[in-house]
Amino acid sequence: MATVKANLQAVRQRIARAAAAAGRDPAAIALLAVSKTHPAALVEQAVRAGQRSFGENYVQEALQKMDALAAWPGGAAPALEWHLIGPLQSNKTRVVAERFQWVQSLDRERIAQRLSEQRPAGLAPLEVLLQVNVSGEASKSGVAPREAPAVARAVAQLPRLRLRGLMAIPEPSGDAALQRARFRAVRELFEELKERGLALDTLSMGMSDDLEAAIAEGATMVRIGTAIFGPREARRGAARNEGATA
Ligand SMILES: *Cc1c(COP(=O)(O)O)cnc(C)c1O
């Protein structure tokens, strides 16, 4: 079985190739390792292979891994950057404001206000991305594109947050042109917000199966889970839908 280290190298190569094909500098594309459902031991392997930024979907699970990784064997733990990429409920904002460096799944002004109020004074502002829903009904998370300018402007005003850009999870499509078009729509919204005066530098899109298309359309950060850590166990609901037996 391939190791996390080998997988990371392969993913970095895919990023470099996709960047070259698009005439882009590979250094302009950040790699977020999505460690949700995987144990701290695998995160540790990735850290030892040089990875520093990790994405998690579930707050409690992330906190456990942060604590496990902080107890680095035989010395100081490397500084890691934790990104929340899953839905955020208002009763979890305080601990998120205290423990995470980034929130990519911001999609409500009220949540943004709470995060700003609760971000401890001793820490740098919380880096945030507005999640946009470019696939319409398919995903319930994310701001509708037409609402994005107003929400982005409001979030950009908050003193303890720094709005860095947009995150999107376009519905996967077997049709390459359609997939590119969905990423392009996110990029165009990103450009529009910049034209309206927001200082944004981060466009987070692209996962294990579609990072090449996302990079071709301007992604500056890709969020990769499966290609680094291997398959995740199907969640119970999904297994049922696929007809698997318990
Ligand atoms: C799980 C997840 C990923 C990683 O998906 P892979 O297909 O495993 O690479 C990226 N972004 C978000 C928001 C996720 O929930």
Side-chain angles (χ1 to χ4, degrees):
M1 210 177 92
T3 62
V4 167
K5 184 177 180 179
N7 288 344
L8 267 169
Q9 275 166 356
V11 167
R12 291 192 193 111
Q13 261 169 26
R14 279 177 67 189
I15 293 171
R17 250 182 267 123
R24 300 183 55 201
D25 177 3
I29 300 152
L31 170 58
L32 183 73
V34 176
S35 44
K36 65 168 175 235
T37 79
H38 295 292
L42 287 192
V43 177
E44 185 186 322
Q45 287 181 27
V47 174
R48 291 190 187 285
Q51 181 67 27
R52 293 292 180 268
S53 306
F54 295 91
E56 288 280 342
N57 292 55
Y58 311 104
V59 174
Q60 286 313 320
E61 182 190 332
L63 297 178
Q64 282 169 10
K65 271 175 240 183
M66 289 176 196
D67 291 343
L69 270 291
W72 194 254
L80 303 182
E81 198 178 82
W82 294 93
H83 295 227
L84 183 69
I85 60 174
L88 175 54
Q89 263 86 49
S90 56
N91 63 349
K92 296 272 173 60
T93 53
R94 181 173 298 279
V95 74
V96 168
E98 288 171 355
R99 301 290 303 274
F100 283 79
Q101 285 72 42
W102 286 67
V103 172
Q104 300 203 3
S105 43
L106 195 62
D107 65 357
R108 271 172 294 162
E109 202 182 322
R110 182 71 199 117
I111 295 282
Q113 285 167 352
R114 289 177 66 96
L115 289 170
S116 182
E117 285 160 14
Q118 294 169 341
R119 181 69 169 171
L123 298 180
L126 185 64
E127 315 283 359
V128 298
L129 301 178
L130 197 63
Q131 183 177 348
V132 291
N133 181 358
V134 286
S135 306
E137 318 257 308
S139 157
K140 284 168 199 77
S141 303
V143 178
R146 69 178 176 285
E147 290 163 13
V151 180
R153 216 174 306 116
V155 170
Q157 305 291 321
L158 294 168
R160 302 292 295 138
L161 302 187
R162 187 154 58 191
L163 180 65
R164 298 287 295 270
L166 300 179
M167 186 272 262
I169 316 171
E171 199 186 340
S173 169
D175 177 339
L178 184 57
Q179 191 181 28
R180 287 274 299 256
R182 286 176 175 150
F183 285 125
R184 194 174 317 127
V186 186
R187 202 260 315 273
E188 284 169 359
L189 182 58
F190 181 66
E191 300 298 342
E192 184 193 329
L193 295 177
K194 290 202 286 187
E195 276 160 25
R196 290 177 182 227
L198 292 166
L200 307 179
D201 63 5
T202 304
L203 185 54
S204 170
M205 57 186 195
M207 315 202 295
S208 293
D209 287 339
D210 57 16
L211 72 87
E212 284 82 4
I215 289 170
E217 294 296 344
T220 70
M221 186 186 291
V222 291
R223 308 179 308 270
I224 309 299
T226 309
I228 296 172
F229 297 110
R232 291 178 291 273
E233 239 176 76
R235 304 184 73 195
R236 235 174 279 155
R240 232 190 340 264
N241 290 340
E242 287 157 18
T245 51

